[in-house]
Amino acid sequence: MRGVKIIGTGSARPNKTLTNDELAKLVDTSDEWITSRTGIKSRYISDGVSTTQLAVEAAKKAIEEAKISVLEIDMIVVGTLTPDLLMPSAACMIQSALGAVNATAFDISAACSGFIYGSKIAINAIRCEDAKTVLVIGAEVLSKIVDWKDRNTCVLFGDGAGAAIYQESEENKILGVYTQSEGNVKALSLNGIPLSNCFLQTTNENDTDFYIKMDGREVYKFAISVAPLCIEKVLEKANMDVSEIDHVILHQANERIMDMAAKKIDIDQSKFFKNLDSYGNTSAASIPIALDEAKSEFKPGEKIVLVGFGGGLTWGSILFEW
Ligand code: ACO
């Protein structure tokens, strides 16, 4: 089986920021409530920049760091809840903007686990010799699907994009991959296009709003149960002990989820990278943005685990060596 490693990462964010104090002018909330419940202080919000534009910027940085030609990319996988169009896919639009004419490009729907699921596809495609170089992107403009009148959700989310390039390698650096899902519409959902055709008309008003809906407490319980499981599963696959992990990059949803996961699995909190104070939750983009920002702290040979969880419900993890 071929070896695989990450050879470049990149990230991008809109220029505009929205602080908790600014949000408190839009809905009945406060910096104190948001900070104490979530750890979020500010988030980046699109002032017109699209999911594709953010993704292309992140991808270009990853390509530059990897020192490859775009023509070497033979697969582009994009995790997103918020593509610019339903067709063509975000991946095809990104392919066109990059000029990556040799790639097979497609989107996947796994919400906040999109980057982990996309990475699994990339790793397996390389391992089974279907691809040599794969660009995986998580990109979101969540501000367009957030209900800005709902304080329960609008304080949590932000916009951004992150990218990583996986390539075949003589020395395998991917030590474990784990994913799982469980169909559950109640905890987290976002409407699609309602059924309305020559026989039927939509009558349910709820079908026509396109905002994220979330049962916060259910999602919290779900997240603190699967986050430690994700770490255990990849350690098991790699036959490693938890003490051997040097860095954890957990989906940046909520600081309390991170702290609880650290306690449950007995990993020092200092090993958990955090940037959600300035980004909020950027769904599929959260892990690759965090990876891009955390990499300056990594030393060769260190073991890093990426953990995602989100709507679907979906969850998963990747353990790799730097
Ligand atoms: N400002 C002020 N008050 C608020 C706000 C707000 N922004 N949002 C909710 N409240 C109120 C509620 O209305 C409620 O008031 P009530 O008791 O009068 O009804 C009160 O605060 C307490 O609400 P809870 O839901 O109990 O608050 P909790 O402490 O559970 O925190 C939170 C809510 C932060 C959403 C928490 O449940 C959580 O972190 N859940 C995980 C959700 C998550 O991370 N989702 C991310 C998206 S999904 C993903 O990425 C996988």
Side-chain angles (χ1 to χ4, degrees), residues 44-86:
Y44 294 92
I45 298 287
S46 172
D47 53 359
V49 67
S50 69
T51 299
T52 302
Q53 286 168 329
L54 288 169
V56 167
E57 189 185 331
K60 281 184 175 168
K61 290 176 185 166
I63 290 164
E64 196 184 327
E65 184 174 274
K67 296 188 178 66
I68 58 163
S69 152
V70 286
L71 302 179
E72 288 177 64
I73 298 172
D74 37 27
M75 188 178 281
I76 301 174
V77 189
V78 179
T80 184
L81 284 174
T82 51
D84 298 345
L85 304 174
L86 287 180

Side-chain angles (χ1 to χ4, degrees), residues 115-315:
F115 182 77
I116 300 290
Y117 276 44
S119 295
K120 178 175 178 166
I121 294 168
I123 292 162
N124 286 340
I126 296 169
R127 280 180 175 164
C128 75
E129 304 191 13
D130 189 36
K132 281 187 178 176
T133 306
V134 184
L135 170 61
V136 182
I137 300 172
E140 304 284 10
V141 175
L142 295 174
S143 57
K144 67 185 178 185
I145 54 156
V146 159
D147 181 352
W148 290 99
K149 294 191 180 93
D150 176 15
R151 68 177 182 175
N152 291 291
T153 51
C154 74
V155 302
L156 302 174
F157 299 102
D159 302 336
I165 296 172
Y166 290 85
Q167 193 171 58
E168 70 163 329
S169 156
E170 277 178 19
E171 197 188 355
N172 181 47
K173 300 281 191 183
I174 307 295
L175 309 176
V177 179
Y178 161 71
T179 55
Q180 182 79 50
S181 47
E182 174 204 315
N184 176 334
V185 183
K186 285 188 185 151
L188 269 165
S189 65
L190 174 64
N191 280 343
I193 300 168
L195 178 59
S196 171
N197 60 26
C198 54
F199 302 109
L200 290 164
Q201 291 298 322
T202 297
T203 49
N204 186 351
E205 262 186 34
N206 290 334
D207 287 350
T208 57
D209 86 54
F210 300 102
Y211 299 130
I212 287 188
K213 293 185 188 59
M214 179 186 75
D215 179 337
R217 286 183 192 173
E218 273 309 301
V219 175
Y220 183 82
K221 278 193 264 170
F222 153 69
I224 59 169
S225 76
V226 298
L229 176 76
C230 284
I231 298 176
E232 278 162 19
K233 288 283 185 185
V234 282
L235 285 173
E236 228 172 80
K237 285 180 190 240
N239 200 17
M240 277 171 50
D241 185 74
V242 69
S243 61
E244 294 174 76
I245 293 180
D246 298 293
H247 304 275
V248 182
I249 296 181
L250 202 73
H251 169 44
Q252 307 281 307
N254 185 316
E255 193 167 26
R256 292 193 302 178
I257 295 174
M258 290 189 202
D259 295 347
M260 188 57 83
K263 214 181 274 178
K264 275 183 137 187
I265 197 149
D266 198 20
I267 297 182
D268 196 295
Q269 284 188 11
S270 64
K271 292 185 177 178
F272 282 68
F273 179 81
K274 290 180 188 171
N275 65 3
L276 87 166
D277 60 331
S278 52
Y279 282 89
N281 178 349
T282 58
S283 189
S286 116
I287 294 172
I289 293 174
L291 173 62
D292 188 48
E293 294 195 345
K295 72 186 176 198
S296 59
E297 296 171 13
F298 302 163
K299 297 182 190 69
E302 283 192 327
K303 311 292 187 297
I304 296 116
V305 62
L306 309 178
V307 179
F309 48 85
L313 299 165
T314 56
W315 59 97

